[in-house]
Amino acid sequence: MQGCTGVAAAMMSCSFPQPCWSKGMNFPSKVCASISSNALSTRPQVTTFSNVKKSLKASHIGVGGDGSSFLGPSLSEADSEVHAIINKEKDRQFKSFDLIAFENFAPRAVMEAVGSCLTNKYSEGLPSNRYYAGNEHIDELEILCQERALAAFHVDGKNWGVNVQPLSGSPANLAVYTAILKPHDLLMDLELTHGGHLTHGHITPRGIRVSASSIYFESKPYRLDESTGAFLMMDMAHISGLVAASVVNNPFEFCDIVTTTTHKSLRGPRGGRIFFKKDSVHGVDLESAINKAVFPGLQGGPHNHKIAGLAVCLKNA
């Protein structure tokens, strides 16, 4: 399927017209073809832009870039119920005094990046090694985000690498375990009641395994003995902002792997990140193992709009 910039395009199973690119806020003279989900064997229904404009009162949603925009109804026009709920939540956040450690308030610039056209692109793989074409700008963005992540935590890129694709902290932790452990290997964890996390291998006092980390691996409270050849990993999700600000000790001086979320003290979008030493540790190439564990091991394509939001927040950090 090609874009609607000069030829007809088809769209299936959608309640709204295809968001078609327009230049300089002008309607193209060409048409878009739309195929309904219950008429796939019939001829496409051709709809002119003038009819779309009249029927939906379509407004241009700016997405940046030399006057380019996408044609389509705004959220308030397309779904007033969801729009109203979002406004109520915005009002609640504005008027509340929130002390939940898992939450923070993302700046407007971060939310603009997360709500951008980057959500449209599929980008399985890593920069310069994607499964689909058209990722040159995505590569540029992800490399920028990686560079800013290393800089924010005062880490030398010659010795450390970072994967910025994990969708949150929990899959980031599971990707690390998948990369360096085999099923039923020992995972030594801090107990949940003493500050640990469900994804660190938690088992309830009644022996119930409640997360993948305890289902696929054997979990016990940790006491590190360096002679055993263990990997030292830190989950700094709650204090990552303090680490970036050099308020607390830097875990990169002691650890082989560091994971974090991005939506707590960093004030970024909801997501996770994995830092790893570039040198081999206990005979394991952490960079290759972790990148493969993230994709294709546990995830598909990255959420590019979140990576953009993270790049913005890391610049602030």
Short mmCIF file of all heavy atoms in Angstrom, two decimals, residues 44-96:
data_model
loop_
_atom_site.label_atom_id
_atom_site.label_comp_id
_atom_site.label_asym_id
_atom_site.label_seq_id
_atom_site.Cartn_x
_atom_site.Cartn_y
_atom_site.Cartn_z
N PRO A 44 -13.37 -1.04 -4.15
CA PRO A 44 -13.15 -0.04 -3.10
C PRO A 44 -14.09 1.14 -3.27
O PRO A 44 -14.39 1.56 -4.39
CB PRO A 44 -11.69 0.37 -3.30
CG PRO A 44 -11.07 -0.76 -4.06
CD PRO A 44 -12.17 -1.30 -4.93
N GLN A 45 -14.54 1.68 -2.17
CA GLN A 45 -15.36 2.88 -2.18
C GLN A 45 -14.44 4.09 -2.21
O GLN A 45 -13.57 4.26 -1.36
CB GLN A 45 -16.24 2.93 -0.93
CG GLN A 45 -17.07 4.21 -0.85
CD GLN A 45 -17.84 4.26 0.45
OE1 GLN A 45 -17.79 3.33 1.22
NE2 GLN A 45 -18.55 5.35 0.66
N VAL A 46 -14.62 4.93 -3.20
CA VAL A 46 -13.76 6.09 -3.37
C VAL A 46 -14.39 7.29 -2.68
O VAL A 46 -15.56 7.61 -2.90
CB VAL A 46 -13.51 6.39 -4.85
CG1 VAL A 46 -12.66 7.65 -5.01
CG2 VAL A 46 -12.83 5.21 -5.52
N THR A 47 -13.63 7.93 -1.82
CA THR A 47 -14.12 9.08 -1.08
C THR A 47 -13.22 10.27 -1.36
O THR A 47 -12.01 10.18 -1.21
CB THR A 47 -14.13 8.79 0.44
OG1 THR A 47 -14.89 7.62 0.67
CG2 THR A 47 -14.73 9.97 1.20
N THR A 48 -13.77 11.38 -1.75
CA THR A 48 -12.96 12.55 -2.01
C THR A 48 -12.65 13.27 -0.72
O THR A 48 -13.39 13.15 0.26
CB THR A 48 -13.68 13.52 -2.96
OG1 THR A 48 -14.85 14.00 -2.32
CG2 THR A 48 -14.05 12.84 -4.27
N PHE A 49 -11.57 14.02 -0.71
CA PHE A 49 -11.20 14.74 0.49
C PHE A 49 -12.24 15.80 0.86
O PHE A 49 -12.42 16.11 2.02
CB PHE A 49 -9.83 15.41 0.31
CG PHE A 49 -8.69 14.48 0.60
CD1 PHE A 49 -8.20 13.63 -0.37
CD2 PHE A 49 -8.13 14.45 1.87
CE1 PHE A 49 -7.16 12.77 -0.09
CE2 PHE A 49 -7.09 13.58 2.15
CZ PHE A 49 -6.61 12.74 1.16
N SER A 50 -12.90 16.35 -0.14
CA SER A 50 -13.90 17.36 0.17
C SER A 50 -15.05 16.78 0.95
O SER A 50 -15.57 17.39 1.89
CB SER A 50 -14.42 17.99 -1.13
OG SER A 50 -15.00 17.00 -1.97
N ASN A 51 -15.45 15.52 0.60
CA ASN A 51 -16.53 14.87 1.35
C ASN A 51 -16.10 14.51 2.76
O ASN A 51 -16.87 14.61 3.71
CB ASN A 51 -16.99 13.61 0.61
CG ASN A 51 -17.74 13.93 -0.67
OD1 ASN A 51 -18.29 15.02 -0.81
ND2 ASN A 51 -17.75 12.99 -1.61
N VAL A 52 -14.85 14.05 2.88
CA VAL A 52 -14.33 13.74 4.22
C VAL A 52 -14.35 14.98 5.09
O VAL A 52 -14.76 14.96 6.25
CB VAL A 52 -12.90 13.17 4.12
CG1 VAL A 52 -12.28 13.05 5.51
CG2 VAL A 52 -12.92 11.82 3.43
N LYS A 53 -13.93 16.09 4.51
CA LYS A 53 -13.87 17.33 5.26
C LYS A 53 -15.25 17.77 5.73
O LYS A 53 -15.44 18.21 6.87
CB LYS A 53 -13.22 18.41 4.40
CG LYS A 53 -13.02 19.74 5.12
CD LYS A 53 -12.36 20.74 4.20
CE LYS A 53 -12.16 22.07 4.93
NZ LYS A 53 -11.55 23.08 4.04
N LYS A 54 -16.25 17.61 4.85
CA LYS A 54 -17.59 18.04 5.20
C LYS A 54 -18.21 17.13 6.25
O LYS A 54 -18.86 17.58 7.19
CB LYS A 54 -18.47 18.04 3.95
CG LYS A 54 -18.10 19.12 2.95
CD LYS A 54 -18.97 19.03 1.70
CE LYS A 54 -18.58 20.09 0.67
NZ LYS A 54 -19.39 19.97 -0.55
N SER A 55 -18.02 15.80 6.11
CA SER A 55 -18.72 14.86 6.98
C SER A 55 -18.11 14.76 8.36
O SER A 55 -18.80 14.49 9.34
CB SER A 55 -18.74 13.46 6.33
OG SER A 55 -17.42 12.98 6.16
N LEU A 56 -16.81 14.95 8.46
CA LEU A 56 -16.15 14.75 9.74
C LEU A 56 -15.61 16.03 10.35
O LEU A 56 -15.08 16.03 11.45
CB LEU A 56 -14.99 13.75 9.58
CG LEU A 56 -15.41 12.31 9.29
CD1 LEU A 56 -14.17 11.47 9.01
CD2 LEU A 56 -16.18 11.73 10.47
N LYS A 57 -15.76 17.14 9.62
CA LYS A 57 -15.20 18.40 10.09
C LYS A 57 -13.73 18.21 10.48
O LYS A 57 -13.29 18.56 11.57
CB LYS A 57 -15.99 18.95 11.28
CG LYS A 57 -17.44 19.26 10.96
CD LYS A 57 -18.17 19.79 12.18
CE LYS A 57 -19.62 20.09 11.88
NZ LYS A 57 -20.34 20.59 13.07
N ALA A 58 -13.02 17.54 9.58
CA ALA A 58 -11.63 17.13 9.88
C ALA A 58 -10.75 18.33 10.13
O ALA A 58 -10.88 19.37 9.51
CB ALA A 58 -11.07 16.32 8.71
N SER A 59 -9.86 18.16 11.11
CA SER A 59 -8.90 19.21 11.42
C SER A 59 -7.50 18.68 11.22
O SER A 59 -7.27 17.49 11.34
CB SER A 59 -9.09 19.67 12.87
OG SER A 59 -8.94 18.59 13.75
N HIS A 60 -6.57 19.56 10.90
CA HIS A 60 -5.19 19.15 10.71
C HIS A 60 -4.51 19.02 12.06
O HIS A 60 -4.56 19.92 12.88
CB HIS A 60 -4.44 20.19 9.87
CG HIS A 60 -4.79 20.11 8.41
ND1 HIS A 60 -4.22 19.21 7.56
CD2 HIS A 60 -5.68 20.83 7.68
CE1 HIS A 60 -4.71 19.38 6.34
NE2 HIS A 60 -5.60 20.35 6.40
N ILE A 61 -3.90 17.88 12.29
CA ILE A 61 -3.15 17.65 13.52
C ILE A 61 -1.67 17.78 13.16
O ILE A 61 -1.11 16.93 12.48
CB ILE A 61 -3.44 16.26 14.10
CG1 ILE A 61 -4.95 16.05 14.23
CG2 ILE A 61 -2.75 16.10 15.44
CD1 ILE A 61 -5.64 17.08 15.09
N GLY A 62 -1.03 18.84 13.58
CA GLY A 62 0.35 19.08 13.22
C GLY A 62 1.29 18.07 13.85
O GLY A 62 1.17 17.75 15.02
N VAL A 63 2.22 17.53 13.06
CA VAL A 63 3.19 16.58 13.59
C VAL A 63 4.62 17.04 13.31
O VAL A 63 5.54 16.28 13.48
CB VAL A 63 2.97 15.17 12.97
CG1 VAL A 63 1.66 14.60 13.43
CG2 VAL A 63 3.01 15.23 11.44
N GLY A 64 4.77 18.25 12.88
CA GLY A 64 6.11 18.79 12.68
C GLY A 64 6.66 18.46 11.31
O GLY A 64 6.20 17.56 10.63
N GLY A 65 7.66 19.21 10.90
CA GLY A 65 8.37 18.90 9.69
C GLY A 65 7.92 19.67 8.47
O GLY A 65 7.11 19.19 7.69
N ASP A 66 8.40 20.89 8.29
CA ASP A 66 8.23 21.62 7.05
C ASP A 66 6.76 21.79 6.67
O ASP A 66 6.38 21.61 5.52
CB ASP A 66 9.00 20.92 5.93
CG ASP A 66 9.11 21.77 4.67
OD1 ASP A 66 9.08 23.01 4.82
OD2 ASP A 66 9.20 21.21 3.58
N GLY A 67 5.93 22.10 7.62
CA GLY A 67 4.53 22.37 7.31
C GLY A 67 3.69 21.15 7.05
O GLY A 67 2.55 21.25 6.63
N SER A 68 4.24 19.96 7.26
CA SER A 68 3.48 18.74 7.02
C SER A 68 2.45 18.53 8.13
O SER A 68 2.62 18.97 9.25
CB SER A 68 4.42 17.53 6.97
OG SER A 68 5.42 17.72 6.00
N SER A 69 1.38 17.83 7.79
CA SER A 69 0.37 17.55 8.78
C SER A 69 -0.39 16.31 8.38
O SER A 69 -0.28 15.82 7.27
CB SER A 69 -0.60 18.73 8.94
OG SER A 69 -1.31 18.93 7.73
N PHE A 70 -1.17 15.77 9.31
CA PHE A 70 -2.02 14.63 9.04
C PHE A 70 -3.47 15.07 9.10
O PHE A 70 -3.87 15.83 9.98
CB PHE A 70 -1.78 13.50 10.06
CG PHE A 70 -0.51 12.74 9.82
CD1 PHE A 70 0.67 13.14 10.41
CD2 PHE A 70 -0.50 11.63 9.00
CE1 PHE A 70 1.84 12.45 10.20
CE2 PHE A 70 0.67 10.93 8.78
CZ PHE A 70 1.84 11.34 9.37
N LEU A 71 -4.25 14.58 8.15
CA LEU A 71 -5.66 14.91 8.09
C LEU A 71 -6.46 13.93 8.92
O LEU A 71 -6.32 12.73 8.79
CB LEU A 71 -6.14 14.87 6.63
CG LEU A 71 -7.64 15.00 6.42
CD1 LEU A 71 -8.10 16.39 6.83
CD2 LEU A 71 -7.99 14.74 4.96
N GLY A 72 -7.30 14.44 9.80
CA GLY A 72 -8.15 13.57 10.59
C GLY A 72 -8.81 14.35 11.70
O GLY A 72 -8.38 15.45 12.04
N PRO A 73 -9.87 13.80 12.26
CA PRO A 73 -10.57 14.49 13.34
C PRO A 73 -9.73 14.52 14.61
O PRO A 73 -8.94 13.61 14.86
CB PRO A 73 -11.83 13.66 13.53
CG PRO A 73 -11.45 12.29 13.06
CD PRO A 73 -10.49 12.50 11.93
N SER A 74 -9.88 15.55 15.40
CA SER A 74 -9.21 15.62 16.70
C SER A 74 -9.86 14.61 17.64
O SER A 74 -10.93 14.04 17.35
CB SER A 74 -9.34 17.02 17.28
OG SER A 74 -10.70 17.31 17.57
N LEU A 75 -9.22 14.37 18.78
CA LEU A 75 -9.76 13.41 19.74
C LEU A 75 -11.14 13.84 20.23
O LEU A 75 -12.04 13.02 20.37
CB LEU A 75 -8.81 13.25 20.92
CG LEU A 75 -9.29 12.32 22.05
CD1 LEU A 75 -9.54 10.91 21.52
CD2 LEU A 75 -8.27 12.29 23.18
N SER A 76 -11.32 15.13 20.48
CA SER A 76 -12.62 15.60 20.97
C SER A 76 -13.72 15.36 19.95
O SER A 76 -14.87 15.11 20.31
CB SER A 76 -12.54 17.09 21.32
OG SER A 76 -12.22 17.86 20.18
N GLU A 77 -13.36 15.41 18.65
CA GLU A 77 -14.34 15.15 17.60
C GLU A 77 -14.56 13.66 17.38
O GLU A 77 -15.67 13.21 17.16
CB GLU A 77 -13.89 15.81 16.29
CG GLU A 77 -13.81 17.33 16.35
CD GLU A 77 -13.11 17.91 15.14
OE1 GLU A 77 -12.16 17.28 14.63
OE2 GLU A 77 -13.50 19.00 14.72
N ALA A 78 -13.46 12.89 17.44
CA ALA A 78 -13.55 11.47 17.13
C ALA A 78 -14.12 10.65 18.27
O ALA A 78 -14.84 9.68 18.06
CB ALA A 78 -12.16 10.93 16.76
N ASP A 79 -13.82 11.03 19.52
CA ASP A 79 -14.27 10.25 20.67
C ASP A 79 -14.40 11.18 21.87
O ASP A 79 -13.46 11.35 22.66
CB ASP A 79 -13.28 9.12 20.97
CG ASP A 79 -13.85 8.07 21.91
OD1 ASP A 79 -14.64 8.43 22.80
OD2 ASP A 79 -13.51 6.88 21.76
N SER A 80 -15.55 11.77 22.02
CA SER A 80 -15.76 12.75 23.08
C SER A 80 -15.70 12.11 24.46
O SER A 80 -15.33 12.76 25.44
CB SER A 80 -17.11 13.45 22.89
OG SER A 80 -18.18 12.51 22.91
N GLU A 81 -16.05 10.81 24.56
CA GLU A 81 -16.03 10.13 25.86
C GLU A 81 -14.62 9.97 26.39
O GLU A 81 -14.33 10.30 27.55
CB GLU A 81 -16.72 8.77 25.76
CG GLU A 81 -18.21 8.83 25.48
CD GLU A 81 -18.81 7.47 25.26
OE1 GLU A 81 -18.54 6.87 24.20
OE2 GLU A 81 -19.53 6.98 26.15
N VAL A 82 -13.72 9.46 25.54
CA VAL A 82 -12.32 9.32 25.96
C VAL A 82 -11.72 10.70 26.22
O VAL A 82 -10.97 10.89 27.19
CB VAL A 82 -11.51 8.57 24.88
CG1 VAL A 82 -10.01 8.65 25.18
CG2 VAL A 82 -11.95 7.12 24.79
N HIS A 83 -12.04 11.67 25.39
CA HIS A 83 -11.54 13.03 25.58
C HIS A 83 -11.95 13.58 26.93
O HIS A 83 -11.16 14.20 27.65
CB HIS A 83 -12.06 13.92 24.45
CG HIS A 83 -11.55 15.33 24.52
ND1 HIS A 83 -12.32 16.38 25.00
CD2 HIS A 83 -10.36 15.87 24.16
CE1 HIS A 83 -11.61 17.49 24.95
NE2 HIS A 83 -10.43 17.23 24.44
N ALA A 84 -13.20 13.33 27.32
CA ALA A 84 -13.70 13.83 28.60
C ALA A 84 -13.00 13.14 29.77
O ALA A 84 -12.67 13.78 30.78
CB ALA A 84 -15.21 13.60 28.69
N ILE A 85 -12.75 11.84 29.65
CA ILE A 85 -12.06 11.10 30.72
C ILE A 85 -10.64 11.62 30.89
O ILE A 85 -10.16 11.81 32.01
CB ILE A 85 -12.07 9.59 30.42
CG1 ILE A 85 -13.49 9.03 30.49
CG2 ILE A 85 -11.15 8.84 31.39
CD1 ILE A 85 -13.61 7.61 30.01
N ILE A 86 -9.95 11.86 29.78
CA ILE A 86 -8.59 12.39 29.85
C ILE A 86 -8.58 13.76 30.53
O ILE A 86 -7.72 14.05 31.37
CB ILE A 86 -7.98 12.49 28.45
CG1 ILE A 86 -7.72 11.08 27.89
CG2 ILE A 86 -6.67 13.29 28.46
CD1 ILE A 86 -7.24 11.07 26.46
N ASN A 87 -9.54 14.59 30.20
CA ASN A 87 -9.61 15.92 30.82
C ASN A 87 -9.88 15.82 32.32
O ASN A 87 -9.34 16.60 33.12
CB ASN A 87 -10.69 16.76 30.15
CG ASN A 87 -10.21 17.37 28.84
OD1 ASN A 87 -9.00 17.53 28.63
ND2 ASN A 87 -11.13 17.71 27.95
N LYS A 88 -10.71 14.86 32.72
CA LYS A 88 -10.97 14.67 34.15
C LYS A 88 -9.71 14.21 34.88
O LYS A 88 -9.43 14.65 36.00
CB LYS A 88 -12.11 13.67 34.35
CG LYS A 88 -13.48 14.22 33.99
CD LYS A 88 -14.61 13.28 34.41
CE LYS A 88 -14.62 12.01 33.59
NZ LYS A 88 -15.80 11.15 33.93
N GLU A 89 -8.95 13.32 34.24
CA GLU A 89 -7.71 12.86 34.86
C GLU A 89 -6.68 13.99 34.92
O GLU A 89 -5.94 14.12 35.91
CB GLU A 89 -7.14 11.67 34.09
CG GLU A 89 -5.76 11.21 34.52
CD GLU A 89 -5.67 10.80 35.99
OE1 GLU A 89 -6.72 10.57 36.62
OE2 GLU A 89 -4.53 10.71 36.50
N LYS A 90 -6.62 14.80 33.88
CA LYS A 90 -5.72 15.96 33.90
C LYS A 90 -6.07 16.89 35.07
O LYS A 90 -5.19 17.38 35.78
CB LYS A 90 -5.82 16.73 32.58
CG LYS A 90 -4.86 17.91 32.49
CD LYS A 90 -5.19 18.81 31.31
CE LYS A 90 -5.01 18.10 30.01
NZ LYS A 90 -5.25 19.02 28.84
N ASP A 91 -7.36 17.10 35.27
CA ASP A 91 -7.82 17.96 36.36
C ASP A 91 -7.46 17.35 37.72
O ASP A 91 -7.04 18.06 38.64
CB ASP A 91 -9.32 18.18 36.24
CG ASP A 91 -9.84 19.20 37.24
OD1 ASP A 91 -9.43 20.37 37.16
OD2 ASP A 91 -10.66 18.82 38.11
N ARG A 92 -7.61 16.01 37.83
CA ARG A 92 -7.26 15.34 39.08
C ARG A 92 -5.77 15.48 39.39
O ARG A 92 -5.38 15.77 40.53
CB ARG A 92 -7.62 13.85 39.00
CG ARG A 92 -7.40 13.08 40.31
CD ARG A 92 -7.27 11.60 40.08
NE ARG A 92 -6.08 11.25 39.32
CZ ARG A 92 -4.86 11.17 39.87
NH1 ARG A 92 -4.68 11.42 41.16
NH2 ARG A 92 -3.82 10.86 39.11
N GLN A 93 -4.93 15.29 38.37
CA GLN A 93 -3.49 15.42 38.57
C GLN A 93 -3.11 16.84 38.97
O GLN A 93 -2.25 17.05 39.82
CB GLN A 93 -2.74 15.00 37.30
CG GLN A 93 -2.85 13.52 36.97
CD GLN A 93 -2.02 13.14 35.76
OE1 GLN A 93 -1.16 13.90 35.31
NE2 GLN A 93 -2.28 11.95 35.22
N PHE A 94 -3.76 17.81 38.35
CA PHE A 94 -3.43 19.21 38.62
C PHE A 94 -3.79 19.61 40.04
O PHE A 94 -3.09 20.40 40.67
CB PHE A 94 -4.17 20.11 37.62
CG PHE A 94 -3.81 21.56 37.71
CD1 PHE A 94 -2.63 22.05 37.17
CD2 PHE A 94 -4.66 22.46 38.36
CE1 PHE A 94 -2.29 23.38 37.26
CE2 PHE A 94 -4.33 23.80 38.46
CZ PHE A 94 -3.15 24.26 37.91
N LYS A 95 -4.85 19.02 40.58
CA LYS A 95 -5.36 19.43 41.88
C LYS A 95 -4.93 18.50 43.02
O LYS A 95 -5.28 18.75 44.18
CB LYS A 95 -6.89 19.50 41.85
CG LYS A 95 -7.43 20.57 40.90
CD LYS A 95 -8.95 20.57 40.87
CE LYS A 95 -9.48 21.65 39.94
NZ LYS A 95 -10.97 21.64 39.88
N SER A 96 -4.17 17.45 42.71
CA SER A 96 -3.81 16.45 43.73
C SER A 96 -2.38 16.64 44.21
O SER A 96 -1.52 17.13 43.46
CB SER A 96 -3.97 15.03 43.17
OG SER A 96 -5.31 14.78 42.81
#
